[in-house]
Amino acid sequence: MNGFVKNIRRALGVTASDPERLEVVRKHLDDHARNLIPERALRSHPELVDNFIKMLESVEATVAHLSELADVASEVARYMIVNDLAHQLKCGADKLIGEIDWSEQSDLVIMSGPATGEDVLSLTHAFAGVSETGTLFVASGPENPVTLSFLPETNIVLIRVRDIVGSYEDAWLKLPWGTRGPQMPRTVNFISGPSRTADIEQTLITGAHGPCHLHVIVVG
Amino acid sequence: MKSTAGSFKENAQDALKNQRLQKSLKVLGRGFVEKRAKARAALPEFDELCQQGQAIKTHTLKHLDLYLEVYEKQLVASGGHLHLAHTAADACEQILQICRDKNARLITKGKSMVAEEIGLNDHLEEAGLRVLETDLGEYIIQLRNEPPSHIVAPAVHVGADQVEADFRRVHKELPAGRDLSDPAALVFEARNMLRSEFINADIGITGANFLIAQTGSSVIVTNEGNGDLTQSLAPVHIVITSIDKLVPTLNDTSTLVRVLARSATGQSITTYTTFSTGPRRSQDLDGPQEYHVVLLDNGRTEQLAGEFSEALRCIRCGACMNHCPVYQSIGGHAYGWVYPGPIGAVLTPSFLGLDEAADLPNASSLCGRCEQVCPMGIKLPDLMRKWREKHHQGGGLPVLVRSSLTAWVIVAKRPRLYQFMTGIVMPLLAKLAGCKRNFRWLPLATGWTNSRDLPAPSGKTFMSLLKKHQREGRL
Ligand code: SF4
């Protein structure tokens, strides 16, 4: 890095040890201050939840709002029947997903692990949802392997209503936090709708390379 | 990428005559422009967010040395490797070296303008590697062996029927009688063709929209999901990016994310925004085992010291070209290099020199729309004007232009002579134009009249009207 940084210092006409500059940078990083947060991200929680769902639906996602985790299994089964999907899904070792009681869905095959090219449906858990743009935050890891969010044709994402917040800034706080910022997993994926492209004559088409369908289950 | 910026005038002529291209450009002008306007109107805080975004970028550039040091520390702490590339050739060589170390044969690639800048695909292909573009637009132009014509929508110049013909030509293993009349069928076909390639790739290369000092992360902003498949299915992920992408914190990045998609495609956010930090963790079941970041300078440090430094704030949203009447008329290829439109007219002379690229900053009426819509508040017309001055001072103007300008200056400095001459010429031109009041052809002005009409003067000069009104006591 030395030669690189030296050139930059020469271009800027500064020295490495200027205490004032060091202080400015240290403070900026340590404060992790927020810039302007749009007003729509600062409303009451019920309004935030409404807008979260509205925004997701505006980008071709489907949303089901359930009051109990106990209802998730039948919602997943319903979705599979309506969309004519094979009764199998893949998920990771996520704790919340692990609490779902599948006992009444006896014909449902639940597989665990990262996605392969053969998987058609995945179930993942978003650790936060951002109301202002209807954005799910999913952290990669053994709980939610990253390929589950991208390879299967359909992705169902579970989110607890209390994890829906106003802004991206609020959502970052839901990760485990170190001294200077959140402890980042290999990837944090913001997901807002099924994959799409407008690369052919600006025609919007959903289902590019990522999932063609995104179904969000809000619980609580 | 090989430049044809030196033949800008010929390129532009061809583009104006190319009816297919003209049709595609009409769609672009309407689509992106309207969508951005709607997105801006839907977020009352938009302008203020842009100003804050500018301040973030300015602050980062001012302390770039220090933020880069923090970035490196965090990147290494998370298990990533950093490679510093002074030049395009350095970057190409470093990436090739990683590919060789891994005995790689198939490389999948997400969209990256920096990769275009360094001519990465050619370099890797010459070394015998197979490089596959996975963004649909990039995939299409790779099949056509063309460069991108827009920094956000690389295949914006290609019609659906052309894509169909290309797919039929290349996807020979598929049934000849299949129906590809619907763009959705084309997208589906590309999706199916690429799936196994993502899985079989030895290395996945992406660009980065942002690098975050606080966490050592790189960020990609996409819609298709190809970038994520590229970077999570291959065992090695290489990020090719440049030093101007650095941002201090996650919160700063959040502010820029709010303005990027709205300015680019008019979405409130793109479908995917992905923050990558290091390789897969020890407990992870997927993701790349290695994470390399190749960080390119390629003249940017020099730019930082000079009068074009504000162009380093650019977040490559494409708004300036979407709103540019010149880009709307000739498209991206005419500019002859990686970055078209107003930002290209400012950057290309820095990268390639004025000898090659002097026509670009001159191809503008300085109407100012680019500056109005630039979320980073870059004074693009001013910067183009600066290049013109440099070009003029360097004696780069053609003799005819130089002598005509000198003659005009002589006349314009002498009001009586000026009035006398315009008093003769204006009525003459008005007469020549006849009742249509437009010239379809004019000697010495075919450069203008070949592609548009020239409005004729009304016949009277302002001064003669003023005098007349004064005489009649109307003023
Ligand atoms: S110069 Fe401004 S408008 Fe143009 S691409 Fe860069 S940020 Fe966008």
Side-chain angles (χ1 to χ4, degrees):
Chain A
M1 190 58 118
N2 264 344
F4 234 58
V5 163
K6 238 188 234 155
N7 288 345
I8 293 173
R9 291 203 173 110
R10 199 172 314 126
L12 290 171
V14 298
T15 59
S17 53
D18 181 347
E20 218 169 285
R21 296 177 78 244
L22 287 167
E23 179 56 20
V24 167
V25 166
R26 191 199 58 74
K27 194 165 172 328
H28 189 87
L29 290 170
D30 285 356
D31 286 0
H32 191 57
R34 292 175 174 213
N35 305 301
L36 175 69
I37 308 286
E39 181 275 331
R40 72 186 52 176
L42 303 169
R43 297 183 189 163
S44 73
H45 194 251
E47 281 175 286
L48 292 181
V49 174
D50 281 352
N51 194 55
F52 175 74
I53 293 172
K54 204 181 92 208
M55 291 304 286
L56 270 168
E57 286 173 342
S58 75
V59 288
E60 290 81 28
T62 51
V63 184
H65 191 164
L66 314 175
S67 44
E68 305 283 340
L69 191 68
D71 302 332
V72 171
S74 56
E75 169 60 19
V76 171
R78 182 202 65 81
Y79 185 87
M80 287 172 159
I81 292 165
V82 171
N83 293 288
D84 204 13
L85 297 171
H87 282 212
Q88 57 181 50
L89 65 80
K90 194 169 251 184
C91 57
D94 185 78
K95 192 161 163 283
L96 185 69
I97 292 176
E99 286 169 22
I100 300 170
D101 176 7
W102 301 103
S103 57
E104 278 180 26
Q105 312 299 330
S106 50
D107 63 337
L108 191 74
V109 182
I110 297 174
M111 296 167 298
S112 177
T116 67
E118 276 76 56
D119 295 316
V120 288
L121 176 68
S122 60
L123 176 63
T124 54
H125 169 210
F127 70 88
V130 174
S131 169
E132 61 171 303
T133 47
T135 299
L136 300 152
F137 275 39
V138 183
S140 68
E143 301 80 16
N144 292 283
V146 62
T147 47
L148 292 178
S149 295
F150 292 95
L151 208 43
E153 210 168 286
T154 302
N155 178 208
I156 301 181
V157 186
L158 193 61
I159 179 165
R160 286 185 300 200
V161 77
R162 65 173 145 100
D163 291 330
I164 297 173
V165 294
S167 63
Y168 311 122
E169 287 82 345
D170 289 331
W172 287 120
L173 297 177
K174 300 239 169 211
L175 279 176
W177 203 260
T179 45
R180 253 203 185 158
Q183 280 154 19
M184 299 291 276
R186 151 67 190 165
T187 51
V188 173
N189 297 103
F190 288 18
I191 301 176
S192 317
S195 77
R196 68 197 52 227
T197 183
D199 271 348
I200 299 179
E201 294 189 348
Q202 302 243 308
T203 318
L204 180 73
I205 292 160
T206 51
H209 295 291
C212 305
H213 311 281
L214 179 76
H215 186 57
V216 181
I217 302 179
V218 180
V219 181
Chain B
M1 183 177 146
K2 214 177 148 301
S3 159
T4 63
S7 39
F8 174 78
K9 286 191 186 127
E10 294 80 25
N11 299 347
Q13 294 280 355
D14 293 346
L16 288 166
K17 283 186 228 137
N18 182 339
Q19 305 223 333
R20 294 204 64 104
L21 175 68
Q22 292 302 322
K23 208 176 117 214
S24 307
L25 289 170
K26 280 217 177 73
V27 185
L28 171 90
R30 280 200 305 270
F32 281 152
V33 170
E34 277 169 22
K35 285 179 201 151
R36 175 197 168 270
K38 269 198 199 138
R40 175 172 176 257
L43 184 67
E45 295 90 350
F46 180 76
D47 290 345
E48 206 178 324
L49 286 164
C50 288
Q51 282 159 18
Q52 293 198 347
Q54 294 161 28
I56 292 166
K57 280 286 200 169
T58 305
H59 167 84
T60 316
L61 291 169
K62 230 175 112 184
H63 303 90
L64 190 59
D65 52 328
L66 299 174
Y67 282 120
L68 273 176
E69 285 175 339
V70 177
Y71 169 74
E72 180 187 35
K73 208 174 118 219
Q74 297 297 80
L75 172 75
V76 171
S78 64
H81 303 275
L82 184 64
H83 309 261
L84 303 166
H86 287 284
T87 64
D90 291 348
C92 282
E93 216 24 65
Q94 285 162 353
I95 294 172
L96 180 59
Q97 196 52 52
I98 302 170
C99 295
R100 286 212 170 110
D101 289 348
K102 299 288 141 201
N103 286 322
R105 294 228 290 274
L106 172 61
I107 319 285
T108 45
K109 207 166 143 278
K111 197 173 102 52
S112 153
M113 294 313 292
V114 174
E116 298 285 345
E117 180 184 321
I118 64 173
L120 180 61
N121 288 12
D122 286 348
H123 192 79
L124 297 180
E125 281 166 3
E126 275 160 27
L129 296 168
R130 185 167 162 242
V131 184
L132 190 67
E133 293 288 350
T134 61
D135 170 86
L136 180 60
E138 291 283 345
Y139 179 68
I140 292 168
I141 59 170
Q142 189 181 33
L143 296 183
R144 302 171 62 79
N145 200 13
E146 286 176 340
S149 68
H150 189 285
I151 61 174
V152 173
V156 71
H157 60 285
V158 187
D161 55 324
Q162 291 171 297
V163 179
E164 177 179 349
D166 291 324
F167 280 15
R168 288 193 190 283
R169 173 172 59 81
V170 179
H171 303 157
K172 287 227 175 63
E173 59 274 47
L174 299 177
R178 66 197 190 279
D179 182 7
L180 291 177
S181 53
D182 181 3
L186 295 168
V187 174
F188 191 67
E189 180 161 314
R191 175 187 170 95
N192 286 338
M193 294 305 293
L194 284 171
R195 285 191 96 62
S196 59
E197 312 275 16
F198 284 122
I199 295 170
N200 295 330
D202 302 305
I203 290 187
I205 300 180
T206 68
N209 294 83
F210 306 107
L211 301 172
I212 306 176
Q214 177 188 30
T215 54
S217 315
S218 60
V219 183
I220 55 170
V221 171
T222 66
N223 278 312
E224 295 182 4
N226 66 300
D228 289 280
L229 290 170
T230 298
Q231 67 165 61
S232 25
L233 287 166
V236 178
H237 176 201
I238 304 178
V239 178
I240 169 68
T241 186
S242 55
I243 55 173
D244 49 315
K245 300 289 193 295
L246 203 68
V247 172
T249 65
L250 287 166
N251 282 351
D252 293 331
T253 313
S254 303
T255 299
L256 291 166
V257 164
R258 285 195 183 94
V259 300
L260 175 55
R262 288 182 170 96
S263 299
T265 56
Q267 293 170 280
S268 54
I269 187 167
T270 52
T271 306
Y272 303 116
T273 302
T274 299
F275 294 69
S276 304
T277 316
R280 72 158 76 168
R281 306 295 189 258
S282 57
Q283 306 294 313
D284 285 1
L285 306 169
D286 56 10
Q289 279 131 20
E290 285 182 31
Y291 173 68
H292 297 263
V293 176
V294 176
L295 191 60
L296 178 72
D297 186 318
N298 205 21
R300 285 168 173 82
T301 294
E302 213 176 299
Q303 205 179 337
L304 193 59
E307 51 195 320
F308 297 95
S309 63
E310 67 180 278
L312 290 167
R313 286 204 300 261
C314 175
I315 53 173
R316 306 282 190 264
C317 71
C320 55
M321 56 201 76
N322 296 339
H323 291 77
C324 172
V326 177
Y327 181 95
Q328 284 171 3
S329 315
I330 60 174
H333 284 162
Y335 290 82
W337 200 57
V338 179
Y339 303 107
I343 185 64
V346 170
L347 293 179
T348 311
S350 300
F351 282 114
L352 305 181
L354 264 179
D355 281 350
E356 174 70 11
D359 279 342
L360 305 187
N362 278 301
S364 163
S365 62
L366 304 182
C367 72
R369 285 178 80 187
C370 49
E371 183 179 341
Q372 259 169 25
V373 298
C374 173
M376 291 298 105
I378 300 169
K379 297 194 188 64
L380 294 152
D382 273 4
L383 298 180
M384 284 188 256
R385 205 177 291 121
K386 276 186 191 159
W387 277 124
R388 291 181 185 189
E389 281 161 16
K390 277 186 190 298
H391 186 219
H392 185 71
Q393 284 155 10
L397 284 185
V399 181
L400 184 64
V401 177
R402 192 174 272 275
S403 49
S404 321
L405 280 176
T406 316
W408 185 81
V409 168
I410 293 174
V411 179
K413 276 188 180 158
R414 293 167 178 77
R416 277 168 178 281
L417 182 63
Y418 190 86
Q419 279 172 38
F420 173 72
M421 287 180 69
T422 49
I424 296 175
V425 176
M426 292 301 140
L428 190 68
L429 283 174
K431 233 188 202 128
L432 277 174
C435 54
K436 288 213 185 85
R437 306 208 149 273
N438 265 319
F439 290 106
R440 310 208 61 181
W441 180 84
L442 199 64
L444 298 179
T446 49
W448 178 282
T449 55
N450 276 350
S451 51
R452 46 220 181 301
D453 292 350
L454 180 71
S458 72
K460 297 199 177 61
T461 65
F462 172 76
M463 291 307 288
S464 68
L465 280 175
L466 182 71
K467 278 190 193 136
K468 183 163 167 261
H469 284 197
Q470 277 170 340
R471 272 200 308 276
E472 291 167 3
R474 282 206 262 163
L475 280 174

